[in-house]
Amino acid sequence: MLKIALFLFILVAMFVKADETINKQDNLGTLSGQIRFYYVFSPSYVKSGRANDYKIDGSAIGGHLKYTSAKFENFGFSTAIYYVRDTKLNDIDDPNTMVAAGRFFTQDYSEKAVLGEANVFYKDKNHQLVLGRQKIDSPLTNSIVTYMPNMFEALSYTNSQFEDSQFSILQLDKMAYGTRSPVEFGLIGEATKTAGATQSGIDKRGEFQSIEQQVMVSSTANTKGVTGFAFTNKSLKNTTIRVWDFYAHDIINMLYIDGIYKNNDANLPYSISGQYLNVQSIGDNLAASWLDASSATMVGLKFAFNYQNIHSYIAYNHSGDAKLLNPFGGDPAYTSSFFSRNAYRANVDAYKLGAIFKVTNNLKIISSHADYGQSTTIGSFVSAKPVQVASAPQGDARESALLFSYNPYKKLNILTGIIYKTSEYYYSSKQVELLDLDFVVTYRF
C-alpha cells in the first residue's frame, strides 16, 4: 500500500506540472485527463448457495490522457489514450475470490493501453462536426465509467443555430466496449442482455468492431451500423425536452424521450422529470431470438427537491410485458443504481429514494435505496461456476448504498462507502447477495 501511495503521489505531481505548463500555452492545445485508483475492502463478498462465498478483489490503477489541439480556421483534432493495470493487490489465483473484472481491459487483469479517441473536428458558434473515434454523449450510450467508456468510430454533427433548440445527427460504424462492459453484461445484467451489453466483452474491450459484431456477436451479419438523431428544445419556461433515436439497421430501433421542469424561484426548488423508452425489432430482425416481443417500452417519473444543503429525490420506473434490449451501454432509467438496472427487464415496477447531504463544501454523504421487486425476465447468476440454466426470478431485487465523497481540493476526489444488493435470481437454491466496500481516489486535470 505504501508503494501504491507513493506511485499515486508521483503520478499526480507529474500531471499537475504538465497541466500547469501546457494549459498556459493555448497555441499548443490543451492536455486533460484522469488518474484513478480503486481498492475493494474486506469483507466485500458475493453470497449464494455455493459451498464457499466469493470474496471480492478489485484493485486497479489507471486513467486517460487526452490532447486537444488548438483550432485553425475552426478545425482541430483530439486523441486520448486509456490505460489500466493491476496493482498486484488482487488474489487472482484463489478460486473463491472474484476479481472485479469491470476495472480492467483484459481477462487476466494484465496492463493494457487503448487509443480510445482519435478524431478531427470542426467547431464554431453554431456547428460541431466530429469524425473518428469519439465518445457519444447521449442517454443511450452514457453509463457509469471506471476507466474507459464505450467508444465509437462515428461521424457526428450538432447544430445550435436555432433559438432554444439543438439537433444532432450521427452515424456509428464501429464500437469498442469500455472497461465496465463485463459488469454490464454479467453482474449488473445477470445475462439478461438488457443492462448495457449483449455480450461480456471481456476479451474484446478496447477493440473497435462493427456494430453487428459487438451487438450480435456475429461475424456473418452485415449491417449499416447505427444512424442516430437527437433534438433538444428549451422554448417552454424552465422546461427541457429531449428526443433521441438510434436506428441500428436490421437489429433494433431505440427511441428515447424525456422532459424536465425545474422550478428555481420558490424557497423550496424542485424538479419534475418524465421519460419514455421504446425498443423495436426492425429490418432483418437479427435480435429477434433475444427479444420477448417485437416491441418493448419503459416509462419513468422522478421528483427531486432541494432543502438547504440536502438534495433529495424519489423515482419510479415501469416496464411492459417484454424486456428492452440495451446494447450500447446507455442507462437513462431513473431507478438504476450502481449494480442494478432492472428497469429494462419485463414487468418491473421499480422505486428509488435518494439523498445527497452536503456536510461542508468539500464533503458529501450520498445515500440511496432501490426496490425492483421481481421481473418476469429469465436470467441467472453467470459469474458463478458452473453456470446454471437460466430460470425465472425467485426473490425481490433491492440495492442500498451509503457513500462518502470528499474533495480535499477541486480536482481531487476521494470516494468510499458500502453497497448492498440482492439479486432476483438464485444460485444453488439461495438468493444471490452482493456486499461491496470501495475506496476510490480520482484526480482530474
Side-chain angles (χ1 to χ4, degrees):
M1 285 300 294
L2 181 61
K3 290 181 180 179
I4 292 295
L6 181 61
F7 177 69
L8 276 169
F9 175 79
I10 294 172
L11 210 56
V12 168
M14 289 171 59
F15 280 124
V16 168
K17 184 64 176 176
D19 188 26
E20 292 174 349
T21 302
I22 292 181
N23 287 332
K24 286 180 181 178
Q25 305 178 47
D26 293 337
N27 60 317
L28 296 180
T30 58
L31 189 69
S32 60
Q34 174 180 283
I35 307 165
R36 175 167 285 172
F37 169 74
Y38 268 104
Y39 186 76
V40 179
F41 285 100
S42 178
S44 298
Y45 62 73
V46 175
K47 288 184 177 181
S48 66
R50 282 183 91 242
N52 297 301
D53 295 330
Y54 281 114
K55 296 182 296 183
I56 302 177
D57 271 348
S59 184
I61 187 168
H64 72 269
L65 187 63
K66 180 175 181 177
Y67 172 73
T68 303
S69 73
K71 290 192 292 184
F72 177 74
E73 298 293 336
N74 294 322
F75 285 93
F77 69 91
S78 68
T79 183
I81 295 176
Y82 293 79
Y83 172 82
V84 64
R85 63 160 297 149
D86 181 16
T87 62
K88 304 303 180 183
L89 299 174
N90 297 298
D91 191 0
I92 62 178
D93 297 321
D94 182 359
N96 293 316
T97 296
M98 185 180 293
V99 180
R103 293 168 184 174
F104 299 90
F105 276 126
T106 57
Q107 186 171 7
D108 62 0
Y109 316 115
S110 58
E111 62 180 329
K112 182 178 180 179
V114 172
L115 182 64
E117 298 175 63
N119 58 71
V120 294
F121 63 83
Y122 173 88
K123 186 175 182 179
D124 62 22
K125 182 179 179 181
N126 296 317
H127 308 274
Q128 178 173 303
L129 182 71
V130 184
L131 174 63
R133 295 184 176 183
Q134 57 187 286
K135 177 185 176 182
I136 300 298
D137 184 12
S138 83
L140 301 180
T141 54
N142 289 342
S143 179
I144 297 173
V145 176
T146 52
Y147 291 101
M148 178 177 132
N150 291 345
M151 290 291 184
F152 299 87
E153 286 189 4
L155 173 65
S156 62
Y157 169 72
T158 300
N159 184 300
S160 306
Q161 69 183 97
F162 302 103
E163 185 178 3
D164 296 325
S165 295
Q166 181 186 85
F167 73 87
S168 301
I169 55 175
L170 52 87
Q171 177 66 36
L172 312 178
D173 290 324
K174 292 185 178 181
M175 173 181 171
Y177 274 129
T179 43
R180 207 168 188 260
S181 62
V183 186
E184 293 172 343
F185 174 75
L187 181 58
I188 291 179
E190 293 152 328
T192 62
K193 302 185 187 299
T194 63
T198 51
Q199 61 169 310
S200 71
I202 199 162
D203 293 318
K204 300 297 183 182
R205 285 173 288 182
E207 296 182 20
F208 284 83
Q209 296 185 319
S210 65
I211 295 298
E212 60 269 19
Q213 286 177 300
Q214 292 288 54
V215 174
M216 304 304 305
V217 202
S218 172
S219 58
T220 57
N222 185 18
T223 73
K224 297 178 181 179
V226 178
T227 301
F229 170 80
F231 176 73
T232 301
N233 181 269
K234 298 182 179 181
S235 58
L236 297 176
K237 184 180 179 181
N238 300 329
T239 302
T240 300
I241 297 173
R242 303 187 303 172
V243 179
W244 280 89
D245 190 87
F246 270 28
Y247 190 94
H249 296 262
D250 289 326
I251 304 175
I252 58 170
N253 184 73
M254 302 182 72
L255 172 65
Y256 176 76
I257 304 171
D258 68 13
I260 180 170
Y261 171 80
K262 292 183 178 181
N263 183 345
N264 296 316
D265 300 327
N267 294 326
L268 188 68
Y270 67 88
S271 66
I272 301 174
S273 307
Q275 63 181 178
Y276 170 83
L277 175 64
N278 175 268
V279 173
Q280 187 164 353
S281 186
I282 58 171
D284 288 342
N285 299 312
L286 295 178
S289 62
W290 292 350
L291 300 173
D292 303 331
S294 60
S295 181
T297 60
M298 178 195 74
V299 296
L301 291 171
K302 183 178 180 180
F303 175 72
F305 66 91
N306 298 324
Y307 177 72
Q308 295 182 355
N309 56 345
I310 301 176
H311 172 77
S312 301
Y313 64 88
I314 180 171
Y316 169 75
N317 280 116
H318 170 77
S319 64
D321 294 333
K323 67 180 182 180
L324 294 95
L325 197 64
N326 183 24
F328 306 117
D331 184 24
Y334 296 146
T335 58
S336 288
S337 44
F338 292 95
F339 293 106
S340 302
R341 297 184 177 181
N342 297 37
Y344 306 103
R345 300 174 188 176
N347 290 300
V348 171
D349 285 294
Y351 305 86
K352 186 178 182 182
L353 297 170
I356 301 173
F357 176 50
K358 188 175 181 181
V359 182
T360 68
N361 288 334
N362 297 334
L363 177 63
K364 295 178 181 178
I365 300 175
I366 305 166
S367 64
S368 65
H369 175 73
D371 191 317
Y372 304 100
Q374 292 183 38
S375 74
T376 56
T377 296
I378 303 298
S380 64
F381 181 54
V382 298
S383 299
K385 301 296 184 293
V387 177
Q388 293 186 161
V389 175
S391 60
Q394 295 176 265
D396 287 350
R398 299 184 179 93
E399 183 171 326
S400 301
L402 179 63
L403 306 174
F404 301 87
S405 176
Y406 176 61
N407 289 82
Y409 67 99
K410 186 176 180 180
K411 297 182 179 181
L412 182 65
N413 177 260
I414 299 171
L415 180 68
T416 189
I418 189 168
I419 302 167
Y420 175 73
K421 164 190 166 72
T422 60
S423 172
E424 62 178 354
Y425 301 117
Y426 276 47
Y427 185 84
S428 294
S429 302
K430 187 178 185 303
Q431 188 172 26
V432 177
E433 302 173 64
L434 166 75
L435 182 72
D436 185 78
L437 182 58
D438 277 3
F439 177 74
V440 187
V441 181
T442 304
Y443 175 75
R444 298 180 178 90
F445 61 93

